Amino acid sequence: MTSTPIPSQIRERVRRYLSLRVLVLWSALTVLVVVFAYVAVAPRFNHVGAMGLALLCLFLIGLFRLNVGERVETMLSEKWEVSLLGVVFFGVAALPIPLRACFGASCSGTRELHVFYDWSLFGPAIAVSFAADLCAHLCPHRVQLLPLTIGYLFLAEAVTKEQS
């Protein structure tokens, strides 16, 4: 059993995580999160509802799968436990928590897109709201940063291989 110094192990892992395929995966997933957050709050998509958002997310993931192809699927299936954990954390980060409807009955004024940092159940979050200035902080869609980071790291671990 070979013992490698911990700084060397960390450097190797960071080098693997900065590979092109990991960066492409992270970029594609970030685009999915941004589109999902925008659709969740944009007024023109209010009629879609929670089920429509879930279907849209599945549709976007299906498009991602078609574009990326079987190569990523093969890499993810080799380490399916790590992949599953990554998808779970990624889902927790992007889903609206708590899963409830927010109604701003007394909110009036010009509606515009607000993006701000917030604190939520899972720590720091980026909140997105499309409401009047006074009501933007009442019920935004939050993207949880801590689960998102953990999900990214698990998925990066799944698509990279140990280099001996």
Side-chain angles (χ1 to χ4, degrees):
M1 188 173 189
T2 332
S3 68
T4 314
I6 292 186
S8 174
Q9 291 176 352
I10 293 173
R11 269 195 305 276
E12 175 62 25
R13 186 159 290 191
V14 168
R15 187 190 65 72
R16 286 191 298 129
Y17 287 177
L18 292 178
S19 70
L20 181 62
R21 64 181 167 196
V22 172
L23 295 177
V24 167
L25 177 67
W26 285 355
S27 299
L29 292 175
T30 302
V31 168
L32 281 175
V33 169
V34 168
V35 167
F36 186 78
Y38 179 75
V39 168
V41 298
R44 65 181 74 119
F45 295 108
N46 278 349
H47 63 281
V48 172
M51 182 56 101
L53 286 176
L55 290 174
L56 175 70
C57 188
L58 289 174
F59 174 74
L60 291 173
I61 290 171
L63 280 180
F64 175 72
R65 199 277 187 211
L66 283 175
N67 289 331
V68 174
E70 295 181 13
R71 184 171 179 192
V72 170
E73 185 177 342
T74 304
M75 287 184 278
L76 293 177
S77 65
E78 289 174 3
K79 296 182 178 182
W80 68 270
E81 300 95 348
V82 177
S83 302
L84 181 63
L85 282 172
V87 169
V88 166
F89 276 102
F90 194 77
V92 166
L95 281 177
I97 296 175
L99 295 170
R100 61 182 172 84
C102 297
F103 301 103
S106 64
C107 294
S108 62
T110 307
R111 296 171 65 98
E112 56 187 55
L113 183 65
H114 299 277
V115 179
F116 52 93
Y117 291 103
D118 198 8
W119 196 265
S120 65
L121 180 65
F122 295 106
I126 294 178
V128 180
S129 177
F130 209 110
D133 286 340
L134 299 174
C135 301
H137 296 275
L138 290 180
C139 194
H141 178 84
R142 291 178 178 89
V143 176
Q144 318 293 328
L145 295 179
L146 190 59
L148 186 69
T149 303
I150 294 170
Y152 278 159
L153 292 176
F154 274 129
L155 290 172
E157 185 65 30
V159 299
T160 58
K161 296 185 175 153
E162 288 290 336
Q163 312 239 338
S164 304

